[in-house]
Amino acid sequence: MKQNIFQEELQNALIKLNSEVKTTNFKKAIIIMTTTQKISQDLKIFPIRSVDKYICLPIAIKKIITAEKIIKFFDSQVEVFFIDIENKIKGCEDMLFKKKSLIKKAEIFQIKSNDFTADSAFGFLSNYFIPLSKKKIFVIGSGNIGSKLALKLVESGCNVFIKNSTKNSTKKTVNAINVLKPKECSNKAVAILTKIPKMDCIISFTRGEVVIKPELVKIVNKRGLILDGGTGTISKDALELANNLGLTIMRLDTRKGFETHAKLIIDTKTILTEFYGSKKCGDFKIIAGGFIGNLGDIVVDNIKNSKKIFGVADGNGKLLHNTHKFSKNLELVR
C-alpha cells in the first residue's frame, strides 16, 4: 500500500473513532491483530466496537512494519492499544516485544485473537444446540483455532469429527485432543479419513479456502447448522443447496468473544492494581486479591477499600473452617 494512501486510511479511521467517542466518556483504543486470512492490502480496518469503557478500532495486519506504522500514528491519539501477541505469522513473532518501545503514551493490553475466536464459536454452538452433548460436529481445518474448539466440544460430550488438509495432520490433531481431554471424559475426537457420517453441524476454519461444497451439505441432518469460521469457506452452490434444505448457515461473529476476552484482561489488571495486596495489622496482615497470607491473616475483598471479610487464611492459600482461635483478629478488622 502506498504511503499516502496508508496515511489517508489511518486518518479517516481516526476521524471515525473521534466521532464515536464524542458522545461518551469512553477512552479510545486501537486493536492490532495479526491475521492469516487473505487481505488485499497491508491492513484491514474493521468496524468500530465498544468494550467496557473503550471505543475500539480493530485493525488486522500481516506485516510487522505495518504494526510499527500504526503504533507511531495512533500513540499520541489514543489511550489504549490492544496488541495481539499470538505468534502465528512469520515475521510478526513477538510483535509487542519488538515494538513496545514505540508506545510512549498509550496503555497496553495483550490479547490472543485465536482464543477469542474459538470461544466465540463455542459460545454460539452452546446456544444453538441445547443440550450440546451428543451432537455430531464436523470440524474442517482444526489448526490452532479449530483444535481448541474441538477440545472444548469433546469435553462437553459432543461427538467430534476432524478433517485437516492431510491425513497425517488429521491423525496428529485427533491424537493430541484425545491425550489432552480429561481421562474421565469418555468422548473422543475421531479422524475423518474416508466416509463421512451424518452430522448435526459442520464448522470450517480454513483461512478462506472453500471446503464446504454441495456433497458436504447433504450429510447435515435436518435443522442442522453450517458455520463458516474462516470467512468464505462455503461455495455458492453449497449455500444455495443448504438454503433449499432449510439448514441454518451462519458466519462466525467474534464480537462478543473479543469483548469477553478483553474484559477479562482489563478486569484482571484492576484486581492487581486496586484489589491485590496486604496491610500490616498488629501481629497479622489483612490480605486481598489472591495474596497468599500466613496462618491467621484476614482475607478481605479489596485491600484499598474493603467492605467484606472472606475469612481467615490457613497459610496455604485457603480459608480456615474453624476461625475461633483468630476471633480477635476478625473483630479488630471489623
Side-chain angles (χ1 to χ4, degrees):
M1 183 186 293
K2 292 182 179 179
Q3 184 65 22
N4 57 340
I5 298 175
F6 184 91
Q7 290 292 117
E8 186 178 333
E9 284 218 32
L10 296 186
Q11 188 63 50
N12 289 337
L14 178 60
I15 291 170
K16 290 179 182 178
L17 191 61
N18 287 332
S19 177
E20 289 280 341
V21 171
K22 275 184 181 179
T23 57
T24 71
N25 293 319
F26 290 3
K27 295 180 179 180
K28 290 178 286 186
I30 300 297
I31 307 166
I32 302 178
M33 303 177 292
T34 53
T35 180
T36 56
Q37 293 185 6
K38 294 177 182 178
I39 53 177
S40 57
Q41 300 170 331
D42 294 337
L43 82 167
K44 182 176 180 180
I45 299 175
F46 292 89
I48 290 170
R49 60 186 62 172
S50 62
V51 177
D52 200 33
K53 294 185 179 180
Y54 300 91
I55 299 293
C56 304
L57 177 71
I59 305 176
I61 64 162
K62 293 183 80 75
K63 298 177 182 177
I64 199 165
I65 187 65
T66 309
E68 181 177 319
K69 292 175 182 178
I70 293 168
I71 290 169
K72 286 180 177 178
F73 181 87
F74 283 108
D75 186 40
S76 61
Q77 305 288 340
V78 302
E79 287 82 13
V80 170
F81 280 108
F82 290 95
I83 305 288
D84 189 357
I85 59 171
E86 208 143 36
N87 291 335
K88 61 188 179 190
I89 295 182
K90 190 174 182 179
C92 286
E93 301 93 339
D94 305 311
M95 179 170 62
L96 181 59
F97 178 82
K98 294 172 183 175
K99 300 302 176 184
K100 184 177 181 294
S101 61
L102 297 175
I103 303 175
K104 309 292 185 183
K105 298 182 179 180
E107 189 177 7
I108 299 168
F109 290 111
Q110 302 176 85
I111 60 171
K112 284 182 84 269
S113 57
N114 281 6
D115 285 26
F116 70 71
T117 301
D119 286 343
S120 297
F122 181 78
F124 181 86
L125 292 171
S126 64
N127 278 279
Y128 188 88
F129 294 113
I130 300 176
L132 185 58
S133 177
K134 306 302 179 185
K135 289 294 180 284
K136 293 182 178 179
I137 299 180
F138 186 17
V139 181
I140 304 174
S142 56
N144 190 274
I145 300 172
S147 60
K148 287 173 179 172
L149 174 62
L151 178 59
K152 288 174 182 287
L153 294 172
V154 167
E155 291 171 342
S156 302
C158 295
N159 299 305
V160 179
F161 301 83
I162 289 173
K163 183 177 182 180
N164 291 345
S165 56
T166 67
K167 288 184 178 182
N168 188 44
S169 172
T170 301
K171 289 177 181 178
K172 283 184 176 180
T173 301
V174 165
N175 289 339
I177 290 169
N178 290 335
V179 167
L180 290 171
K181 72 179 183 67
K183 62 181 181 180
E184 294 82 5
C185 176
S186 59
N187 291 66
K188 292 183 178 181
V190 176
I192 292 292
L193 303 176
T194 53
K195 189 177 179 181
I196 307 172
K198 281 282 189 178
M199 300 287 175
D200 296 301
C201 171
I202 299 177
I203 179 166
S204 53
F205 293 102
T206 53
R207 302 182 182 181
E209 179 188 350
V210 176
V211 291
I212 300 179
K213 298 178 181 178
E215 55 268 28
L216 276 184
V217 172
K218 293 175 183 177
I219 70 164
V220 181
N221 292 322
K222 288 182 179 179
R223 293 182 294 279
L225 169 69
I226 297 175
L227 186 59
D228 181 4
T231 311
T233 65
I234 309 172
S235 72
K236 289 183 179 180
D237 291 346
L239 282 170
E240 184 178 349
L241 177 59
N243 281 318
N244 290 337
L245 293 174
L247 303 177
T248 300
I249 314 145
M250 298 286 290
R251 178 185 177 277
L252 181 62
D253 188 326
T254 61
R255 282 178 295 179
K256 286 299 175 184
F258 170 72
E259 289 172 22
T260 305
H261 180 83
K263 197 169 187 315
L264 171 66
I265 305 298
I266 295 165
D267 288 352
T268 300
K269 183 171 184 178
T270 300
I271 289 172
L272 293 174
T273 56
E274 300 294 329
F275 291 28
Y276 176 85
S278 70
K279 290 180 182 178
K280 191 72 177 173
C281 185
D283 59 354
F284 67 95
K285 295 194 296 289
I286 301 171
I287 61 174
F291 192 101
I292 297 179
N294 297 318
L295 177 65
D297 288 346
I298 306 302
V299 185
V300 298
D301 58 336
N302 186 325
I303 199 63
K304 293 183 179 180
N305 184 26
S306 56
K307 295 181 179 179
K308 184 177 181 180
I309 295 174
F310 288 147
V312 181
D314 70 351
N316 291 306
K318 297 180 181 180
L319 296 177
L320 290 174
H321 292 294
N322 187 349
T323 61
H324 179 73
K325 184 179 177 181
F326 302 99
S327 57
K328 288 184 179 180
N329 293 6
L330 284 166
E331 188 58 34
L332 183 58
V333 173
R334 289 193 185 101

